[in-house]
Amino acid sequence: MKFDVLTLFPEMFETLNQSILGKAQEKNLIDINLVNIRDFSKDKHKKVDDTPYGGGAGMVMRADIVYDAYKSVYKEGSKMIYLTPQGKTLNQKKVEELSKEKHLILLCGHYEGIDQRVIDKIVDEEISIGDYVLTGGEIPAMVLIDSVSRYIEGVIKNDSTEEESFSNGLLEYPQYTRPEIFEDQKVPEVLISGHHQKIKQWRKEQAIKNTLKKRPDLLEKYKFSKEEKQILENLKKQN
Ligand code: ADE
């Protein structure tokens, strides 16, 4: 998967060279190319923005400069995403869908915004990472790259994406490791029983319990098996 990021602050993306994404880049599983929009300014001061037509506070990124940056990386089949609080909120389903693309171009906005004409011309999809406003699109772009990369073959162990929160519609069950006793709290007995069937059943119960407690809204969409429905009924009775 190739990511081209159009940004005024390429240095911010240094963190993606660490940890799992750092290794994924070394192994060429993902390719993150940073494009400095400022390099496309023809102005001697490398200015990329100007005052808004119609007046008002702040500065607006120029359409021609953003367009030239885009043209430098666009290929047929590229998907162009603009990170903006006005976009559709990113969720796990969208992340999985985007991971099937070959080439994503991510446009990070700053200042008061970007000239609408270039947005209309080049953007396929607007994505927000939540209903709050950040100082720019760089952190949202990193969130998108991180979440999408986890679905690329070889980046993490396959069963990690299958079992984790959201992927199957439920939150995850709790995990434990050594020591067996921590501050008088013992690891749940079933996990040291070696009884795989019982462990599986317990984990399923815990996942449903966790979801019921923390994100009951997720259960409305979840397709329960008969056995899971019974677990949920029992949990509700206990409360
Ligand atoms: N730019 C500023 N805030 C944002 C958000 N919440 N999501 C995506 N891009 C943004």
Side-chain angles (χ1 to χ4, degrees):
M1 161 80 87
K2 168 104 190 251
F3 299 95
D4 275 300
V5 186
L6 312 186
T7 172
L8 287 172
F9 300 97
E11 299 80 11
M12 285 180 75
F13 291 82
E14 181 58 33
T15 49
L16 299 184
N17 297 332
Q18 310 296 319
S19 183
I20 292 172
L21 296 192
K23 290 206 183 75
Q25 289 185 80
E26 278 167 23
K27 289 194 223 160
N28 291 323
L29 300 172
I30 56 169
D31 180 5
I32 304 170
N33 179 44
L34 305 169
V35 178
N36 193 339
I37 298 171
R38 203 172 294 283
D39 291 344
F40 294 84
S41 169
K42 293 185 181 78
D43 179 76
K44 70 170 182 234
H45 303 293
K46 293 284 167 201
K47 209 168 129 93
V48 292
D49 55 353
D50 215 323
T51 51
Y53 278 114
M59 300 290 269
V60 179
M61 261 159 87
R62 285 173 55 128
D64 54 347
I65 297 175
V66 172
Y67 188 50
D68 286 346
Y70 161 81
K71 280 193 296 188
S72 77
V73 292
Y74 175 81
K75 286 184 218 76
E76 206 182 306
S78 306
K79 187 172 185 106
M80 176 66 176
I81 294 172
Y82 173 35
L83 286 311
T84 162
Q86 295 186 18
K88 229 175 129 200
T89 313
L90 189 64
N91 60 24
Q92 200 67 29
K93 185 163 165 260
K94 183 51 124 192
V95 165
E96 196 170 352
E97 194 184 303
L98 292 175
S99 72
K100 304 203 166 88
E101 299 285 340
K102 280 201 171 60
H103 182 209
L104 296 179
I105 307 175
L106 307 178
L107 172 61
C108 308
H110 258 273
Y111 310 108
E112 291 308 298
I114 300 178
D115 189 305
Q116 188 61 38
R117 291 168 295 179
V118 72
I119 295 174
D120 293 343
K121 189 168 175 68
I122 66 177
V123 172
D124 295 312
E125 201 163 338
E126 296 189 346
I127 291 182
S128 159
I129 61 160
D131 287 343
Y132 42 82
V133 181
L134 299 166
T135 53
E138 281 73 16
I139 291 171
M142 285 189 252
V143 167
L144 191 146
I145 291 171
D146 188 295
S147 55
V148 167
S149 296
R150 298 178 69 258
Y151 279 96
I152 307 300
E153 179 93 39
V155 173
I156 55 169
K157 282 197 222 107
N158 262 348
D159 53 356
S160 303
T161 47
E162 280 159 24
E163 289 218 349
E164 71 198 356
S165 294
F166 299 115
S167 287
N168 66 1
L170 294 176
L171 299 185
E172 253 179 296
Y173 50 79
Q175 296 277 21
Y176 299 88
T177 187
R178 273 172 273 277
E180 207 175 304
I181 301 172
F182 164 69
E183 299 276 317
D184 293 338
Q185 293 186 77
K186 212 168 169 303
V187 168
E189 206 63 46
V190 62
L191 298 180
I192 23 189
S193 69
H195 197 304
H196 296 299
Q197 197 51 41
K198 277 195 181 146
I199 292 173
K200 209 171 156 203
Q201 165 81 9
W202 182 85
R203 285 181 163 164
K204 176 65 82 178
E205 276 170 25
Q206 293 296 311
I208 295 175
K209 191 174 174 181
N210 216 10
T211 314
L212 182 64
K213 188 170 151 207
K214 297 180 185 168
R215 289 291 306 273
D217 56 302
L218 293 178
L219 295 176
E220 282 161 29
K221 280 182 251 157
Y222 187 69
K223 294 215 169 32
F224 285 93
S225 68
K226 244 191 185 154
E227 182 205 344
E228 290 169 339
K229 215 173 248 168
Q230 193 54 54
I231 295 173
L232 181 67
E233 290 313 314
N234 292 343
L235 284 170
K236 281 183 173 164
K237 264 185 235 154
Q238 284 166 30
N239 283 339

